[in-house]
Amino acid sequence: MRRPLRQVRTNTPEPTDLHPAWLPPEVWAAIGARRTLICGQGLLIDTVQAEVEQAADRYGGTARRITAEADLPPADLVLALAADLPRPRPADPPPTDSKATVAEAAESKPAALTPTDSEAAGVWAALAGARAELATAEALGAEDFVVTRHHGVTVVVAGAPAGLLYGLFEVVRLGESAFGRGHRVRVCRPVMARRMLDHWDNVEVHPVMGQVERGYAGGSIFWREGGPRGDRDRVTAYARLLAACGINAVAVNNVNVHATEARLLTERLDDVAELADLLRPYGIGVHLAVSFAAPVVVGGLPTADPLDPAVRAWWAETTSRVYARIPDFGGYLVKADSEGQPGPFSYGRDHADGANLLAEALAPHGGVVRWRAFVYNHRQDWRDRSTDRARAAHDHFAPLDGRFRDNVIVQVKHGPIDFQTREPVSPVIAAMPHTRLAVEFQVTQEYTGQQRHVCYLAPWWSEVLGFRPWGDQGGTVAEVAAGGGGLVAVSNVGDDRFWTGHPLAQANLYAFGRLCWNPGLRPQAVLDEWIDLTFAPDRCADPDLLRRTLHEIMDDSWRSYERYTAPLGVGFMVRPGHHYGPDVDGYEYTPWGTYHFADRDGVGVDRTRATGTGFTGQYPAPWSEVYESVESCPDELLLFFHHVPYDHLLHSGRTVIQHIYDTHFDGVREVEAMCRRWEWLARLVDPAVHARVTERLREQLRCAREWRDQVNAYFHRKSGIPDAHGRTLH
Ligand code: GCV
């Protein structure tokens, strides 16, 4: 039963002029207008209470905390911990049929009862119904919850406070439909226990990389010019957004750990503790990226050798101090022996020695060490065709399988190179069955348009997560991650008022969280959720146009981006350093190991066992064979695995060179269409959002044309082959 609305307040953005992203006040209307009972104790239950109170305050409902023993007032929504579900006492109205469905309940009111008795009985009956369903459901884990509806009351029951917080946000997502007829029982459990974001935020502004490495949304929300930013409201608002899409952990500093950041572990630990205090009420645990050389750099020891007893003692003591200050600290994140970061190689030790050292220090406290597998030689001689960066992670880590301690998570980039627009799945994911693996994505759009281009990445991640490294008979990437260290992504958030620079890039952050929770969600369905929450289409003049247009712009935007940038999986071709815009030969003669080998006859990297670097041999069957053969290799990865002549015929029926020309023209046309479509939304979305996206689209179009013209001109000049359709190639 709904109470009549009291006066609804106007919706001002919270907390200052920050864009509310997927939690604008309107999404709380369904809950806020109703009577909610909250049962349970704990910090996260206080958060639930505060959220519902705020909504009720705005929309005229009520939020009452009750204990299991208290009288049961009438309610429309009950949010309860299973252990605190109120139990009827002899004097309470008897529960009616607990098995009644919502439809029955909504239509039937026991005639013999007075309205008040009826309402109270309805709540009792609803609780009895929830209890009956719980009895048949599998035990609820710490983050699980059940949503049921009986006798006109929606009941969310969780096994632990975190589950109730996620249950609350599920009701937010459901909106009015959480209180409608025909609601089926939903048991919700996250597929990934670990759902994490890594911030590549520097405390001290880095002379080249700035405040946030690969950040495209302004400064850091955590740090500013050498110290804490001190914007508590913003961090709390961020925590809230993360919890609402399912994230439960963050690393608060860059994996490239410089001098100031190294001290977060010791004398600047209070700065980390302060962030932990702000993130904790939303169930988000804090991790710290640490320098492997910390014993030397901040500890004053002569060595960081992982087998040195003094080094082990230093890590043990330092870690104990961290836990004394932050009892629920998540653990360490380490980039070692990679791109100049220190690591165990300096002491003749391997990555298992290094990771186990930190794991040993963390184990007594329940912490984990996340050890990145992004290790390769960034000082390669480009003349040396036998060295292949794609092989590096597997070469280094696969032989170590089984040697890592239980609380080590090896964190693997989803592709073998570096978050390109198209790469095969990393073979490491299939190569370490005795190691806990986490799969790493990049929400920040380093190589996918840097938040100046619309590029909805969920379809890409979804493909990766659904990939079966052992073929149809084996599990998926998502299953490997779920059984190990979960998913992690580099955050795309900064101090920009839209959080992500490009307002539509918010969808990537939201989608990453939702795919962690359930990798089986369809990207379009996730986008729909995000549109519903962020744009409230039902409240605009033309909901269908708004929804349809956003889908038209975003659904396929990753593939559009792929079309106008580097072709057929070859990757890079970006401007060195900042990685924005085209530069076909930009990395060709550099030490970074990212080459395309284009000449007058052909293009692509021969990674076969027969004639190339042997990388295909790192895959199990059937992929080792599929990728080895130029006939069976999927078109979209052809140039990643093979060097082929320009007139090589693709499965699509086009030659490689014609594919390059066609897709580049198509990609730009698609961006032109995006720009036109966005104009249709001028009066349907917030003018500030509209203006920002318009400005970004203009740049996207300019840049897409530049990509098209440079890539087409380059390959035309190399190959001398004209476009079959006679278009200008420059
Ligand atoms: C944080 C790429 C990026 C680097 C990043 C690195 C990594 O190379 O360009 O900025 O460093 O990946 O993942 O560690």
Side-chain angles (χ1 to χ4, degrees):
M1 288 282 277
R2 287 186 67 167
R3 280 199 351 196
L5 284 182
R6 283 209 304 262
Q7 196 192 351
V8 176
R9 294 188 201 156
T10 50
N11 300 319
T12 44
E14 298 161 317
T16 50
D17 99 317
L18 254 186
H19 188 258
W22 49 89
L23 285 181
E26 299 88 324
V27 300
W28 294 93
I31 296 173
R34 290 181 162 86
R35 299 160 300 179
T36 302
L37 302 182
I38 297 143
C39 326
Q41 300 302 323
L43 178 68
L44 271 62
I45 305 294
D46 295 343
T47 304
V48 169
Q49 164 99 21
E51 289 286 354
V52 179
E53 257 171 23
Q54 198 183 334
D57 206 24
R58 183 182 295 277
Y59 287 102
T62 56
R64 286 185 60 178
R65 186 83 157 257
I66 58 162
T67 59
E69 295 77 35
D71 290 338
L72 203 55
D76 310 301
L77 172 64
V78 179
L79 301 165
L81 290 184
D84 293 304
L85 263 185
R87 293 189 168 277
R89 296 161 309 184
D92 291 316
T96 52
D97 177 18
S98 64
K99 292 257 186 302
T101 65
V102 185
E104 289 160 2
E107 279 153 19
S108 65
K109 270 195 194 142
L113 298 173
T114 63
T116 313
D117 287 344
S118 157
E119 283 195 334
V123 181
W124 281 121
L127 293 183
R131 201 172 281 118
E133 269 141 10
L134 277 180
T136 58
E138 236 178 81
L140 294 177
E143 299 184 312
D144 307 347
F145 61 90
V146 179
V147 186
T148 70
R149 185 162 166 85
H150 293 277
H151 300 271
V153 183
T154 299
V155 183
V156 179
V157 185
L164 207 61
L165 183 65
Y166 293 124
L168 169 68
F169 285 121
E170 177 71 8
V171 179
V172 171
R173 242 187 313 275
L174 292 170
E176 278 303 323
S177 73
F179 304 95
R181 288 165 180 244
H183 197 280
R184 58 191 176 81
V185 177
R186 297 156 60 103
V187 182
C188 301
R189 307 175 193 277
V191 170
M192 307 286 163
R194 295 176 183 274
R195 309 179 298 278
M196 178 160 174
L197 284 173
D198 286 357
H199 279 255
W200 286 355
D201 298 16
N202 298 315
V203 177
E204 200 83 61
V205 177
H206 185 271
V208 179
M209 291 299 171
Q211 189 80 71
V212 180
E213 181 154 347
R214 311 306 179 190
Y216 311 107
S220 165
I221 60 169
F222 298 141
W223 315 105
R224 180 150 62 192
E225 291 172 9
R229 184 190 168 96
D231 190 345
R232 299 170 63 88
D233 286 349
R234 196 183 288 257
V235 176
T236 300
Y238 183 54
R240 210 172 159 242
L241 287 173
L242 294 192
C245 68
I247 299 294
N248 65 2
V250 295
V252 296
N253 64 306
N254 189 358
V255 288
N256 290 330
V257 183
H258 311 289
T260 304
E261 292 75 12
R263 296 191 145 63
L264 292 173
L265 180 62
T266 51
E267 71 241 45
R268 301 192 69 159
L269 185 59
D270 280 351
D271 298 344
V272 183
E274 196 183 322
L275 291 175
D277 289 346
L278 294 171
L279 297 167
R280 186 175 297 115
Y282 286 90
I284 293 161
V286 155
H287 293 62
L288 200 56
V290 296
S291 166
F292 189 77
V296 177
V297 179
V298 297
L301 297 186
T303 177
D305 182 347
L307 302 192
D308 185 303
V311 171
R312 291 171 61 186
W314 185 87
W315 277 110
E317 269 165 43
T318 303
T319 305
S320 294
R321 274 198 293 273
V322 171
Y323 277 90
R325 186 70 184 81
I326 311 171
D328 54 356
F329 180 71
Y332 300 139
L333 168 64
V334 189
K335 172 174 176 178
D337 290 314
S338 170
E339 298 185 335
Q341 289 295 302
F345 287 170
S346 307
Y347 307 97
R349 315 296 182 197
D350 62 29
H351 286 279
D353 297 327
N356 289 342
L357 161 76
L358 272 65
E360 179 187 63
L362 287 155
H365 311 281
V368 293
V369 55
R370 296 173 159 269
W371 193 270
R372 295 181 83 224
F374 182 62
V375 177
Y376 70 101
N377 176 11
H378 71 288
R379 297 206 176 94
Q380 186 182 325
D381 181 354
W382 59 266
R383 299 166 195 83
D384 167 17
R385 295 285 281 254
S386 67
T387 304
D388 181 2
R389 173 166 164 182
R391 292 186 56 113
H394 189 284
D395 284 345
H396 285 297
F397 283 85
L400 302 179
D401 187 34
R403 284 210 25 230
F404 292 97
R405 290 182 62 126
D406 285 352
N407 61 331
V408 175
I409 293 173
V410 173
Q411 193 163 301
V412 188
K413 286 193 182 183
H414 67 83
I417 301 273
D418 195 3
F419 300 135
Q420 296 303 288
T421 317
R422 181 74 76 167
E423 289 185 49
V425 160
S426 167
V428 177
I429 293 169
M432 302 188 71
H434 307 294
T435 306
R436 290 169 79 187
L437 296 184
V439 178
E440 187 176 309
F441 292 96
Q442 198 181 41
V443 184
T444 195
Q445 292 173 233
E446 177 178 0
Y447 297 102
T448 51
Q450 304 201 346
Q451 283 137 253
R452 296 194 229 176
H453 296 220
V454 182
C455 189
Y456 178 50
L457 289 164
W460 178 207
W461 302 332
S462 198
E463 266 189 29
V464 171
L465 291 167
F467 181 80
R468 295 181 184 277
W470 299 272
D472 289 347
Q473 307 311 315
T476 60
V477 168
E479 283 162 11
V480 174
L487 298 182
V488 53
V490 186
S491 172
N492 63 350
V493 155
D495 68 1
D496 169 67
R497 73 165 288 218
F498 294 105
W499 295 95
T500 52
H502 199 310
L504 303 187
Q506 289 176 5
N508 285 330
L509 188 59
Y510 180 82
F512 173 70
R514 296 291 290 144
L515 289 176
C516 287
W517 188 277
N518 179 2
L521 290 173
R522 284 184 316 107
Q524 289 91 338
V526 175
L527 193 66
D528 255 330
E529 279 181 11
W530 175 76
I531 291 171
D532 279 334
L533 294 167
T534 307
F535 291 92
D538 292 347
R539 286 163 205 258
C540 89
D542 194 341
D544 288 347
L545 179 66
L546 176 59
R547 184 184 300 283
R548 198 180 57 242
T549 307
L550 284 168
H551 274 289
E552 283 168 353
I553 291 172
M554 297 177 73
D555 279 348
D556 211 30
S557 52
W558 159 60
R559 289 193 180 82
S560 295
Y561 187 83
E562 181 183 31
R563 285 182 195 111
Y564 63 78
T565 55
L568 297 165
V570 76
F572 276 84
M573 299 190 172
V574 289
R575 289 248 164 221
H578 58 62
H579 297 167
Y580 185 73
D583 189 344
V584 180
D585 278 341
Y587 273 108
E588 201 54 20
Y589 307 102
T590 71
W592 293 94
T594 49
Y595 315 121
H596 54 69
F597 300 121
D599 57 25
R600 65 175 185 175
D601 301 318
V603 56
V605 191
D606 184 353
R607 293 193 158 108
T608 63
R609 304 191 284 291
T611 52
T613 68
F615 171 68
T616 58
Q618 293 187 340
Y619 289 89
W623 297 107
S624 52
E625 301 309 321
V626 171
Y627 294 145
E628 174 76 6
S629 151
V630 76
E631 272 82 41
S632 54
C633 184
D635 282 353
E636 69 273 13
L637 289 171
L638 185 70
L639 302 185
F640 191 95
F641 286 105
H642 297 275
H643 186 91
V644 295
Y646 292 114
D647 60 1
H648 173 87
L649 208 56
L650 296 168
H651 297 114
S652 69
R654 282 189 290 206
T655 60
V656 164
I657 192 73
Q658 196 55 43
H659 170 98
I660 293 175
Y661 297 152
D662 289 349
T663 50
H664 284 76
F665 284 111
D666 289 349
V668 171
R669 257 200 311 278
E670 285 156 17
V671 178
E672 286 164 353
M674 280 181 197
C675 298
R676 276 196 308 278
R677 290 186 167 119
W678 183 251
E679 280 175 26
W680 303 340
L681 302 187
R683 275 184 297 283
L684 299 182
V685 303
D686 169 3
V689 171
H690 197 269
R692 177 70 73 88
V693 174
T694 302
E695 164 214 312
R696 304 269 151 148
L697 278 170
R698 217 170 278 140
E699 164 56 18
Q700 180 171 3
L701 184 56
R702 184 207 62 77
C703 189
R705 286 178 175 148
E706 198 58 31
W707 268 102
R708 176 196 62 194
D709 293 343
Q710 288 203 26
V711 171
N712 282 350
Y714 178 94
F715 285 105
H716 180 229
R717 289 175 194 182
K718 281 265 170 194
S719 69
I721 302 174
D723 172 33
H725 307 294
R727 291 164 291 196
T728 306
L729 295 175
H730 305 285

